[in-house]
Amino acid sequence: MPTVDERILQLLREHAPAFLSGEEISQRLKVTRTAVWKRVKHLRTLGYEIKASTRSGYRLIRSPDLLTPSEIKPLLGTKQIGRVIHYFQTIDSTNSKAYQLALGGAKEGELVISESQEKGRGRLGRHWFSPPFLNLYLSVILRPKIPPQQASLITLMAAVATADAIRKFTGLVPLIKWPNDILLRDRKVAGLLNEIHSEMDRIHFIILGIGVNLNVDGKMLPKEVRTLATSLKKEMGQTISRKVFIRLLLQELEGWYTIFLKEGATAILDAWRDRAQIKGRRVKVYSLGETLVGTAVDVDSDGALILETAEGERKRVVAGDVEYKK
Ligand code: BT5
């Protein structure tokens, strides 16, 4: 159910660039004219530029780059992903919220999005730095009818979609770093955290969590992250419209998800290999308390990293962190 604010904005958008009288808004929304005026004042504090005239009423001049459902829904152009949006100004973690919603029956494609996160999560209990109103923090609920062993292909699929959205937006070519980092000029610009709820032979749902640094400046990041991270703003030298980027990202996600469901693993693995260029790289892998050094050979159909050690032994790594060696 849209809020009064959203309904006021919808009416003003429908009438822009013309004025709409306070009387008409109050009749349509069944609230008093004073209530309309109060909401308009509140919307202005959020960055909406709304002209008010005693004779003509209200006119929407400019909207801020917010990710509210009323701002992004009309732009999306997707069939399923993001048709239902759960929006928050702040939240602990969009993944945790999406997980709860999915347990409660939320459907495929429902989107959780927040302007900031207090406990943004990386893998293995790590923290994802999530300052307000600058970047993207979102989680999508998927309910694919695939066996649990194929769930990691969804991670690869999401990495391909995120990399492609960044490439199309910036014209720069990002690199996927196994398993889930997206790099621009060797620095992390996006990270993925996917969580699965399943039985032995059936997936109930997958939560696809994506964080993309769009407008964060290096000096806003904690020291330990600063040298390793970048943002689209930094790489392009201009402020990034979050609305335009989220539209592209969700369209890429829906496109690649459809390819995965129709064509299966091979299409995703080929696209991932192309965007990761991992073959032949010298890597150091930290996996479950063990450190392995070797040459990356490939990823297998379960998304595991295959590497060859100096002794010529093949190792299969299902989880861990990778460092590329020069
Ligand atoms: C990831 O973990 O890269 C997954 C990040 C997923 C974040 C999204 S945001 C929406 C959704 N809701 C959540 O709660 N999470 C997801 P990992 O590979 O473990 O990398 C974490 C490491 O990246 C940290 O230990 C830092 O070194 C670094 N890091 C933290 N914040 C960063 C940022 N904003 N940009 C770049 N690097 C960052």
Side-chain angles (χ1 to χ4, degrees):
M1 186 64 185
T3 61
V4 173
D5 290 0
E6 283 177 357
R7 287 158 73 206
I8 291 175
L9 285 170
Q10 197 181 341
L11 286 174
L12 292 180
R13 268 193 212 105
E14 283 165 16
H15 282 77
F19 278 95
L20 182 63
S21 73
E23 182 61 39
E24 187 165 347
I25 300 176
S26 82
Q27 278 176 11
R28 299 268 290 263
L29 303 190
K30 301 192 173 56
V31 296
T32 64
R33 287 180 61 171
T34 319
V36 173
W37 172 232
K38 277 195 185 148
R39 295 325 299 165
V40 166
K41 280 202 288 193
H42 172 69
L43 286 167
R44 283 176 172 167
T45 65
L46 299 178
Y48 287 92
E49 210 177 306
I50 299 171
K51 191 159 187 189
S53 132
T54 27
R55 279 188 37 211
S56 324
Y58 300 103
R59 179 158 86 95
L60 180 62
I61 295 174
R62 197 169 311 135
S63 302
D65 193 25
L66 288 177
L67 302 173
T68 52
S70 78
E71 285 298 324
I72 59 175
K73 251 194 179 167
L75 298 176
L76 287 187
T78 46
K79 288 204 183 73
Q80 197 143 31
I81 294 186
R83 296 328 290 171
V84 174
I85 299 173
H86 305 270
Y87 169 82
F88 301 88
Q89 290 242 338
T90 188
I91 198 165
D92 53 353
S93 146
T94 57
N95 263 39
S96 307
K97 185 69 191 177
Y99 205 97
Q100 277 168 14
L101 288 166
L103 285 176
K107 305 236 165 18
E108 166 128 312
E110 290 195 23
L111 172 70
V112 177
I113 185 154
S114 185
E115 302 284 5
S116 68
Q117 299 185 112
E118 280 141 37
K119 290 188 188 146
R121 292 194 280 122
R123 293 173 304 135
L124 307 167
R126 289 185 288 228
H127 181 66
W128 185 254
F129 187 67
S130 314
F133 299 109
L134 294 168
N135 301 326
L136 276 192
Y137 319 107
L138 59 85
S139 303
V140 179
I141 296 166
L142 296 178
R143 295 183 179 276
K145 293 191 178 58
I146 56 170
Q149 307 83 272
Q150 286 196 4
S152 49
L153 286 168
I154 298 274
T155 298
L156 302 190
M157 181 281 292
V160 168
T162 308
D164 281 14
I166 291 172
R167 181 174 51 79
K168 287 182 185 174
F169 190 89
T170 60
L172 305 170
V173 182
L175 196 70
I176 301 175
K177 181 158 162 263
W178 187 89
N180 67 346
D181 291 356
I182 314 290
L183 309 181
L184 274 174
R185 290 195 299 137
D186 292 337
R187 287 171 178 229
K188 185 156 167 172
V189 70
L192 277 72
L193 176 68
N194 298 332
E195 295 174 293
I196 173 171
H197 182 56
S198 71
E199 294 168 28
M200 283 295 281
D201 53 2
R202 186 164 77 103
I203 289 178
H204 293 293
F205 57 79
I206 296 177
I207 305 299
L208 213 64
I210 306 180
V212 190
N213 292 337
L214 296 184
N215 291 308
V216 70
D217 282 328
K219 48 184 184 300
M220 294 174 178
L221 295 167
K223 247 199 239 109
E224 67 277 12
V225 178
R226 204 174 293 165
T227 49
L228 309 169
T230 189
S231 68
L232 294 199
K233 180 181 174 190
K234 182 160 183 227
E235 298 302 321
M236 293 184 78
Q238 64 189 65
T239 303
I240 305 301
S241 160
R242 298 186 308 154
K243 280 190 274 195
V244 175
F245 186 81
I246 195 173
R247 170 171 188 257
L248 198 55
L249 177 62
L250 296 186
Q251 285 180 353
E252 287 297 321
L253 258 184
E254 189 161 277
W256 279 108
Y257 186 47
T258 310
I259 290 173
F260 171 63
L261 295 178
K262 280 197 184 140
E263 297 175 28
T266 314
I268 300 303
L269 285 165
D270 287 350
W272 192 91
R273 287 184 183 113
D274 173 62
R275 288 148 184 83
Q277 301 289 328
I278 199 162
K279 200 174 173 176
R281 274 184 200 275
R282 303 257 306 124
V283 291
K284 198 175 198 178
V285 186
Y286 305 92
S287 172
L288 312 170
E290 206 187 351
T291 305
L292 296 165
V293 179
T295 306
V297 179
D298 202 357
V299 284
D300 69 13
S301 58
D302 294 334
L305 176 69
I306 312 295
L307 65 89
E308 198 169 279
T309 63
E311 295 75 41
E313 205 183 335
R314 288 232 162 166
K315 298 264 186 186
R316 186 171 178 274
V317 186
V318 289
D321 289 300
V322 166
E323 224 175 71
Y324 290 158
K325 292 168 55 114
K326 297 269 175 260

